[in-house]
Amino acid sequence: MLAYALAQYGMMMDDPVRMGAFSRALRQVVTSDCVVLDIGTGAGIFAFLACQYGARHVYAIEPNSAIEVAKRLAAANGLSDRITFIQQMSTQVTLPEPAHVIISDLRGIVPWFEQHIPTIVDARQRLMVPGGVLIPQRDTMWAAVVEAPELYHRMVRGWSDQAYRLDMDIARRIVTSCMGNGRVQPDQLLTAPQLVATLDYATVEDPNVEVMLQWAAVRTGTAYGVSVWFERTLADGITVSHAPDAPPDQLPPLIIGNAFLPWSAPLTLAAGDTIAFTLQGTLDGDYIWSWTTKVYDQGKPDAVKAQFAQSTVFGQPVSLDLLQKQSEDHVPELNEEGQILQAILSMMDGETELETIAQQVAEAFPQRFADWEEAMKLVAHVSGQYSE
Ligand SMILES: C[S@@+](CC[C@H](N)C(=O)[O-])C[C@H]1O[C@@H](n2cnc3c(N)ncnc32)[C@H](O)[C@@H]1O
């Protein structure tokens, strides 16, 4: 999971559009007898606001150690007795009482991000009263073909440089298989926006997405790919839009931007050309994104101008050695790091102090550790991860 630094939580709080909308939504739904669950509390901001708006009690859950700062901030603001902080993933937590309101902001540049949707489904089923309120209520995603040379060149820069007369195509294909991040202006749209999907958090079950879109180019221009943005409804009448034409003072700063799906190569479109596009996002540990594009000359079904098939599967340099080690028929044997880890874990028996473990590990692996103090760094790390 993406691990934010404290400064990044500060940047999120410093976004007046996002914070203003979440704050208004909380104020609208929180009542004095209300129990609020803040999933992914970070440094605690939504939990503190929920208290200010009168929540009877707040459960604030966060695996990141920023929760320690949240606890100290709660104490500094006299809120400790109204907030229960739990350092864990919400899916691992049971609460003493269900929440009336669940607030979270777990998306990335698209809402299909990490465990966002399974987390909401789980919380809705296990941690919320029937008919409870979810903030946000829903996200609506839109997409358009865009003339975005700056977003494209930001991704391929370096790999299209012919200055050294080297063939960089392999690397270029890898970087254009990644999802980019950036915003476009309304005059960069080459097609009208199409609705991708609406995610209603009160009912969503499926973490995956698969859509087919079709556009007609409204003007001539060079297409670099597809921009995907969303509009969110936090509570009745409270929305935040990331659309290209959203009023500039209502656009959240680009801490979390919009998705950009680059094409394999830029393509000149004439007005009337049609674009058939499929987008598939599959949650498999993390999301795998695949997108296909077929461009028809002036919409003629037999006049294909270009076609691309791209996937984030090809967006990572792959080591054949690693693939082999991860294949189902591989018979693994521990390497030295594995043996050290195994030794440390086997001594974490509820009786042995870390210093003793470090001494024994240093003695057993003298080629790896100069002394027990050096081994202690790893032992402390493992203890932090895996001890009760
Ligand atoms: C975008 S940050 C928002 C932080 C804070 N709520 C704010 O608005 O400033 C999302 C946070 O959710 C946390 N998170 C993601 N999934 C979670 C889950 N299932 N349970 C608890 N926290 C989660 C992440 O660690 C991250 O700190």
Side-chain angles (χ1 to χ4, degrees), residues 37-42 57-64 67-68 70-71 83-90 92-96 127:
L37 169 58
D38 177 8
I39 301 181
T41 196
H57 198 79
V58 180
Y59 295 91
I61 307 180
E62 171 62 59
N64 188 299
I67 198 168
E68 287 303 321
K71 282 182 201 167
I83 307 175
T84 303
F85 290 99
I86 306 167
Q87 186 169 6
Q88 192 50 284
M89 288 293 281
S90 60
Q92 307 296 315
V93 167
T94 49
L95 294 180
L127 306 174

Side-chain angles (χ1 to χ4, degrees), residues 1 4 9 12 18 39-42 45-46 61-63 88-90 105-106 119:
M1 191 168 74
Y4 293 108
Y9 290 110
M12 292 180 222
R18 187 186 84 99
I39 301 181
T41 196
I45 185 67
F46 295 160
I61 307 180
E62 171 62 59
Q88 192 50 284
M89 288 293 281
S90 60
D105 186 10
L106 307 180
T119 293

